[in-house]
Amino acid sequence: MGAMSVRTESSAQHRAGFACFVGRPNAGKSTLTNALVGTKVAITSNRPQTTRHTVRGIVHRPDAQLVLVDTPGLHKPRTLLGERLNDVVRTTWAEVDVIGFCLPADQKLGPGDRFIAGELAGIKKTPKIAIVTKTDLVDSKQLAEQLLAVDQLGRDLGIEWAEIIPVSAVGDQQVSLLADLLVPMLPESPPLYPEGDLTDEPEQVMVAELIREAALEGVRDELPHSIAVVVEEMLPREDRPADKPLLDIHANVYIERPSQKGIIIGPKGKRLKEVGVKSRKHIEALLGTPVFLDLHVKVAKDWQRDPKQLRKLGF
C-alpha cells in the first residue's frame, strides 16, 4: 500500500488563519511577504469580521489560506504612546496563529534582535518560526553559524522555535517551503477572504486620504472641505533592483475654485512641497516601501455639488 493512498480525514481539511512577521527594520519582512503572496501587495481591505489589523497580503492555496498581518513596529518605549503601541503589538502576537521572526543571514544577531526575541519569549501559546532571510547573500559556513546562533538565542531566552528555516525571497523554492511549514499551524477553517482578494484599491484610497490630511493641515479654516485627492496610479518603478524598490504614485489634489490654488501651492510652491514631504513619510510607513510622489493641483469646479465629479473623485 503506497503512502499516497493513506489519506486521513484531517489532511483533507481546509485551514485558514493569521501569521505575522516580526524583525528589526530591513530584516526582509516586506520582501518575504511579497514573495509569499506572489504579487506586489501591501495592504488589502480591512474586514472587521476577520481582523482589526492591517492585512499585508493573502496567500491563497487549494488547502489553505494564510493571511499575513502587520504589527506596528516594536521598540523600546520612550513615551506612554510607545508603551501603548507595544501593548498593541503584544496583543496582536497573542492573537495570530503563528509568528515568523525574521533575522537576516548577513548580519550578526544584535541587541535589536535580542529585544524582540525577549518580547516573543513572553508570548507562550503562539508557535514561533525563526526565519533566517537573505541567505543568497552569505556562504554556507556563514549561514550555518547564523542558524546555530538563532538556535542558541532561543535556548538563552526559553523560546521553543517550532522551526528554524533559511529562506531567500529571491529563490522561490524556500518560499513555498515556508508556506508549507506555516499552513499546518493554522486552525481548520474555511477561507476568510474571497479568492481574488489581493486588491490594492483600498490602498489607493488610504494613500489619497493621507495626502488629503497633509494638504488640509494648516489651511482647514480657508478650505475646510474643498479638497479631494485622487490617486491616478501607483506603479512599481521599472528597472529597480529587488532590494531597492520604488513606488511611483501620481496623485491629483482637486480644489473647487482657481482662487484656492494659491493657498494649496503656497508662495513659490513651498506649501505643496511640504504636503508632498509630509504625506510621503506617512505613505512609506503605511506601504513599507520607498515612494516617489508626484502631486498636481487641479481645479474641479464646484465638485462638491456635482454628482458626476463626486463619483470620479471616489465619493
Side-chain angles (χ1 to χ4, degrees), residues 67-123:
V67 182
L68 302 169
V69 297
D70 232 2
T71 48
L74 185 85
H75 48 81
K76 296 199 167 79
R78 282 191 217 56
T79 59
L80 190 60
L81 175 71
E83 278 179 35
R84 273 222 198 99
L85 203 60
N86 284 358
D87 285 342
V88 173
V89 175
R90 287 191 199 97
T91 316
T92 305
W93 288 2
E95 285 171 3
V96 297
D97 300 300
V98 55
I99 299 169
F101 182 24
C102 297
L103 304 118
D106 62 333
Q107 295 166 33
K108 286 236 185 297
L109 298 189
D113 298 315
R114 280 177 213 292
F115 176 69
I116 296 173
E119 294 291 326
L120 281 178
I123 297 193

Side-chain angles (χ1 to χ4, degrees), residues 178-198:
L178 174 62
D180 292 341
L181 290 175
L182 292 169
V183 164
M185 302 188 176
L186 306 177
E188 291 182 0
S189 152
L192 303 164
Y193 288 81
E195 177 71 56
D197 255 21
L198 301 169

